[in-house]
Amino acid sequence: GHGPSHWSYTDKAQWASDFVYCGGHMQSPINIDTSTTLFAPELTPLQLYGYNLLPEQKLSLRNNGHTIVLSLPANMSLSGGGFLEAYRAAQLHLHWGSKAGPGSEHTVDGHRYAGEIHVVHYSTRFRSIREAAREPGGLAVLAAFLQVGSEENEAYQHIFEDLDDIHEEGEETLIAGFDIAQLLPANLSSYFHYNGSLTTPPCYQTVNWTVFNQTVLLSQEQISVLEESLLGGKEHLIQGNFRLPQSLHGRRVLASFP
Ligand SMILES: NS(=O)(=O)c1c(F)c(F)c(SCCc2ccc(C(=O)O)cc2)c(F)c1NC1CCCCCCC1
Ligand SMILES: [Zn+2]
């Protein structure tokens, strides 16, 4: 990049020199080693409120050069799941790979999935996500793995059918509201939980991560459309927009299931 505000996935090794937190000891993503996770029965099922949006509710879908970001209304919220406070939804975005290989951020026992969805929330303690992003526990991100299955996933079509409108970096379009919960696994009770960071600069170490154990199934065609539709710069597609697993530095990963 040319100056600290510009970074890319091709110069991940430089992030820590431009962004101090990216070299910290509570970074994300991580590899989840299921043989060392700790069963925590206090991790209750996640409760989603206001996720079932009416079609009249229009949502901004934007190509920001690193991923696609769907902005979410602040009356969508999250509680339970061992969280001590409530969180408001802010945005969701995706990470994916290319023909060369899969692109989830977290891995499980070294396995990388085709992709990963992140639904970003911020604590109701704060007035804005910018403020919350700087405070420990300020953000809660729900993560689910995208896996290739035999059927087309109708919920993801609400997003993928409009990717041509945001082919170029910086482009934005409006899509009709739909049930955002349909983008997540049906089982919201089985998940991993750990404290980590944003997975891109500025890498703030302020994220409560929830990674669902059940995956979401999309068709190969849908995954290919995601991998081939979005430009991150003049000539190159956004592909492989994932950070490599970071060291735990002694952190324990909790599991809501035995
Ligand atoms: N996995 S993640 O949650 O760390 C994450 C990523 F991996 C991401 F790649 C992204 S997108 C890259 C950051 C970015 C770039 C441009 C703009 C803009 O032009 O509006 C906005 C954001 C991205 F937006 C996020 N999440 C954002 C992090 C940046 C801002 C803090 C709060 C929102 C969460
Ligand atoms: Zn993300």
Side-chain angles (χ1 to χ4, degrees), residues 4-40:
S5 64
H6 292 273
W7 53 271
S8 78
Y9 283 100
T10 48
D11 63 4
K12 293 188 273 248
Q14 294 309 310
W15 289 5
S17 48
D18 288 340
F19 302 91
V20 60
Y21 293 113
C22 297
H25 285 186
M26 282 183 55
Q27 289 292 291
S28 296
I30 60 168
N31 174 53
I32 296 169
D33 175 347
T34 57
S35 71
T36 59
T37 55
L38 265 181
F39 172 47

Side-chain angles (χ1 to χ4, degrees), residues 34-143:
T34 57
S35 71
T36 59
T37 55
L38 265 181
F39 172 47
E42 72 275 14
L43 294 181
T44 55
L46 279 152
Q47 308 288 334
L48 306 179
Y49 302 95
Y51 265 58
N52 191 354
L53 304 177
L54 296 170
E56 294 72 37
Q57 177 122 34
K58 303 307 176 199
L59 306 172
S60 157
L61 180 67
R62 184 163 179 267
N63 171 350
N64 71 13
H66 304 282
T67 182
I68 50 172
V69 182
L70 184 67
S71 297
L72 299 171
N75 62 356
M76 278 177 63
S77 66
L78 164 70
S79 71
F83 289 123
L84 304 177
E85 51 194 314
Y87 288 83
R88 271 186 229 294
Q91 53 112 298
L92 67 84
H93 62 270
L94 302 175
H95 298 268
W96 59 87
S98 66
K99 281 197 190 72
S104 69
E105 293 226 282
H106 291 86
T107 53
V108 180
D109 297 335
H111 179 77
R112 188 175 303 281
Y113 290 90
E116 192 168 325
I117 180 172
H118 289 161
V119 189
V120 182
H121 300 71
Y122 64 99
S123 165
T124 53
R125 266 188 287 146
F126 302 99
R127 283 190 319 277
S128 76
I129 188 155
R130 291 276 173 223
E131 194 186 335
R134 289 168 173 72
E135 301 295 328
L139 299 181
V141 181
L142 303 185

